[in-house]
């Protein structure tokens, strides 16, 4: 400690210390009216307290769930696609409502999280989606020194749910159902869109983002390189890197593409629309919206085949029909843009099981001797 006399006749007692976080030398000071043995003792004590406070690793603000969510969102806004940011933004809103925004992260435990999730009364599938997002955020907090202990996450097991491969058994169409559905659709354009999705296996966002130049008739492929995000009204990257692919156009798919092109030409003339780079566009010339087609598909599937199906069911249908025709799973996986064939196997296991059952029925009806 050293002493500096000020212009007004008082005395500044100064001490240096090293900041453990930056390694820089810093200083603290306290001003006294006198420079006596007593004031020096008092000043030293005050300086020590200031340094202890500055260097203390334990004096930290308790992080609340809202604090963590706010910082997580700032990071996500800089590092992920807008569609991912939007999805996680809404997921975080759910966490804040379910768990309480003032809940202290360091005091959170597995029982508290599990009980609060169950208290919502939502189905296991939804709760597991929340749980996945919640764990990802907590792990982000750990990596960014906002959460000290995340061991409680290991105790948070998924809520019991119907296995995915069982749940989708009724979420694809048999060949005859596809024909019945398409033939019964009264809207010519939506009927052609349905044919395209069944024959190509594209995700609807991939289809909506297609440009005319992506339909490569010379090489018989569709270049899938982007995705349309209807929530943010932007064209973004595909779901995964593996989703960037060339989808082979078999003759029937090529014919459907040409039919769609003709329908879009008529639409442009009918509504006096300017030239568009889009392969398919809405009556006002914009990207077609997922929800408009999904609504039409649900209503017509209920009317024609007695059950509602979603747009993604057409992608399931595409894969199941290829499987029934003997196309290898690995080939289907690449065509769909899955990261590996294991994903395809898990989703479409029930289809191969059905084929085996049909084979057994045929063999059972045969008398060899």
């Amino acid at each position: 400690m050293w002493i500096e006399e000020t212009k007004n006749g008082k005395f500044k007692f100064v001490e240096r210390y090293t900041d453990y976080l930056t390694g820089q030398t810093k200083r603290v000071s306290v001003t006294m009216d006198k420079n006596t043995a007593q004031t020096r003792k008092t000043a030293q004590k005050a300086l020590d307290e200031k340094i202890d406070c500055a260097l203390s690793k334990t004096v930290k603000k308790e992080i609340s769930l809202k604090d963590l969510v706010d910082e997580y969102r700032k990071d996500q806004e800089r590092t992920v696609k807008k569609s991912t940011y939007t999805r996680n933004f809404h997921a975080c809103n759910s966490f804040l409502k379910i768990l309480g925004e003032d809940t202290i992260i360091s005091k959170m435990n597995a029982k508290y999280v599990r009980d609060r999730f169950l208290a919502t009364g939502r189905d296991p599938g939804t709760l597991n989606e929340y749980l996945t997002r919640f764990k990802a955020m907590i792990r982000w907090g750990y990596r960014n020194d906002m959460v000290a202990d995340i061991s409680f996450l290991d105790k948070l097991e998924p809520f019991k749910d119907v296995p995915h491969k069982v749940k989708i058994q009724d979420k694809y169409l048999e060949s005859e159902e596809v024909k019945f559905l398409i033939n019964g659709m009264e809207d010519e354009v939506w009927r052609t869109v349905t044919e395209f999705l069944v024959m190509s296996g594209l995700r609807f966002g991939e289809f909506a983002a297609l440009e005319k130049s992506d339909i490569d008739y010379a090489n018989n492929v569709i270049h899938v390189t982007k995705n349309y995000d209807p929530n943010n009204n932007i064209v973004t990257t595909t779901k995964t890197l593996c989703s960037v692919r060339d989808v082979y156009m078999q003759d029937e798919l090529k014919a459907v593409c040409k039919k769609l092109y003709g329908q879009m030409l008529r639409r442009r003339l009918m509504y006096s629309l300017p030239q568009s780079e889009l392969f398919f566009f809405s009556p006002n010339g914009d990207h077609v919206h997922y929800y408009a087609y999904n609504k039409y598909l649900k209503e017509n599937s209920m009317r024609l085949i007695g059950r509602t199906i979603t747009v993604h069911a057409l992608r399931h249908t595409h894969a199941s029909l290829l499987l029934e025709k003997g196309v290898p799973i690995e080939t289907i996986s690449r065509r769909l843009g899955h990261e590996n064939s294991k994903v395809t196997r898990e989703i479409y296991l029930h289809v191969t099981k059905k084929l085996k059952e049909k084979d057994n029925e045929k063999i059972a009806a045969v008398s060899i001797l």
Side-chain angles (χ1 to χ4, degrees):
M1 179 180 71
W2 72 94
I3 305 164
E4 300 172 355
E5 188 171 355
T6 65
K7 292 180 180 180
N8 59 6
K10 294 187 178 184
F11 298 89
K12 181 184 289 186
F13 297 81
V14 188
E15 186 73 279
R16 287 193 182 94
Y17 73 95
T18 302
D19 187 322
Y20 76 91
L21 192 60
T22 64
Q24 295 178 344
T25 300
K26 296 185 177 181
R27 52 185 278 173
V28 291
S29 64
V30 61
T31 302
M32 298 285 186
D33 292 331
K34 299 178 182 180
N35 179 13
T36 65
Q38 182 61 40
T39 56
R40 286 194 294 272
K41 185 177 180 180
T42 302
Q44 185 66 65
K45 183 178 180 181
L47 292 172
D48 289 342
E49 288 178 352
K50 283 190 173 186
I51 293 172
D52 287 343
C53 182
L55 294 178
S56 176
K57 298 181 182 180
T58 58
V59 180
K60 293 182 179 178
K61 176 182 179 291
E62 290 281 18
I63 301 295
S64 70
L65 182 60
K66 186 177 186 306
D67 293 330
L68 181 60
V69 165
D70 288 343
E71 293 303 316
Y72 181 60
R73 282 173 170 167
K74 289 177 187 177
D75 182 76
Q76 291 249 304
E77 201 166 15
R78 299 189 300 264
T79 60
V80 302
K81 291 174 20 178
K82 192 170 183 180
S83 57
T84 303
Y85 173 80
T86 301
R87 179 197 65 191
N88 290 343
F89 184 93
H90 293 300
C92 287
N93 280 345
S94 298
F95 303 153
L96 292 172
K97 186 175 181 180
I98 295 170
L99 300 173
E101 63 180 38
D102 295 325
T103 301
I104 302 301
I105 297 294
S106 63
K107 301 183 187 302
M108 199 175 286
N109 57 52
K111 185 177 186 306
Y112 175 79
V113 175
R114 189 183 302 107
D115 288 349
R116 292 301 292 262
F117 272 36
L118 287 172
T120 65
R122 299 185 181 174
D123 64 271
T126 300
L127 293 182
N128 284 331
E129 176 67 17
Y130 287 164
L131 191 60
T132 298
R133 306 293 171 207
F134 174 74
K135 286 184 174 182
M137 183 183 67
I138 295 296
R139 291 191 177 103
W140 176 89
Y142 178 74
R143 292 193 301 272
N144 288 274
D145 296 317
M146 294 188 69
V147 184
D149 182 7
I150 61 171
S151 58
F152 75 97
L153 293 184
D154 294 333
K155 303 175 186 176
L156 281 171
E157 298 179 349
F159 296 93
K160 297 298 182 184
D161 195 11
V162 180
H164 187 55
K165 62 187 179 185
V166 175
K167 289 200 300 186
I168 68 167
Q169 284 186 357
D170 294 326
K171 294 186 179 180
Y172 75 97
L173 302 177
E174 301 284 356
S175 179
E176 292 304 314
E177 289 179 310
V178 174
K179 294 174 183 176
F180 195 76
L181 174 65
I182 291 174
N183 291 336
M185 287 182 165
E186 297 173 355
D187 187 293
E188 181 184 4
V189 175
W190 283 145
R191 181 168 65 244
T192 309
V193 169
T194 306
E195 290 177 325
F196 177 91
L197 294 173
V198 170
M199 293 178 187
S200 67
L202 264 66
R203 299 178 178 91
F204 191 84
E206 296 170 341
F207 163 68
L210 287 176
E211 297 180 354
K212 293 174 184 175
S213 58
D214 294 321
I215 313 300
D216 187 346
Y217 294 107
N219 295 297
N220 292 327
V221 294
I222 298 173
H223 304 297
V224 180
T225 60
K226 48 198 171 295
N227 183 75
Y228 175 64
D229 172 11
N231 294 318
N232 297 293
N233 191 30
I234 58 172
V235 174
T236 182
T237 56
T238 54
K239 185 176 181 180
T240 66
L241 288 176
C242 293
S243 297
V244 177
R245 63 199 188 279
D246 284 344
V247 174
Y248 177 73
M249 276 195 295
Q250 62 274 35
D251 289 343
E252 59 180 355
L253 177 56
K254 184 187 289 189
V256 167
C257 287
K258 290 180 178 180
K259 184 162 59 172
L260 267 178
Y261 181 84
Q263 290 171 344
M264 291 303 97
L265 179 60
R266 288 195 297 273
R267 174 171 284 181
R268 187 169 65 81
L269 295 173
M270 183 183 301
Y271 293 99
S272 300
L273 299 174
Q275 285 281 0
S276 174
E277 296 299 318
L278 291 174
F279 172 62
F280 184 86
F281 47 85
S282 66
N284 60 9
D286 295 330
H287 289 89
V288 65
H289 209 287
Y290 167 87
Y291 301 104
Y293 175 66
N294 195 47
K295 181 176 183 292
Y296 180 83
L297 180 63
K298 282 186 173 182
E299 291 173 351
N300 279 268
S301 59
M302 174 57 75
R303 177 174 65 86
L304 294 166
I305 61 176
R307 58 191 174 97
T308 59
I309 61 168
T310 63
V311 179
H312 206 69
L314 301 181
R315 185 167 155 87
H316 292 199
T317 298
H318 176 74
S320 65
L321 294 177
L322 290 181
L323 276 170
E324 290 190 10
K325 297 295 184 180
V327 178
I329 289 178
E330 288 72 17
T331 302
I332 299 172
S333 181
R334 289 192 293 272
R335 185 174 175 86
L336 294 177
H338 281 161
E339 293 191 40
N340 54 58
S341 60
K342 180 183 177 184
V343 177
T344 317
R345 288 178 190 277
E346 290 175 348
I347 295 176
Y348 301 110
L349 181 61
H350 65 286
V351 178
T352 56
K353 182 179 178 181
K354 181 183 66 176
L355 293 175
K356 288 179 181 178
E357 290 173 351
K358 287 184 177 180
D359 289 341
N360 290 341
E361 290 174 3
K362 292 177 181 178
I363 293 173
V366 173
S367 178
I368 297 177
L369 297 179

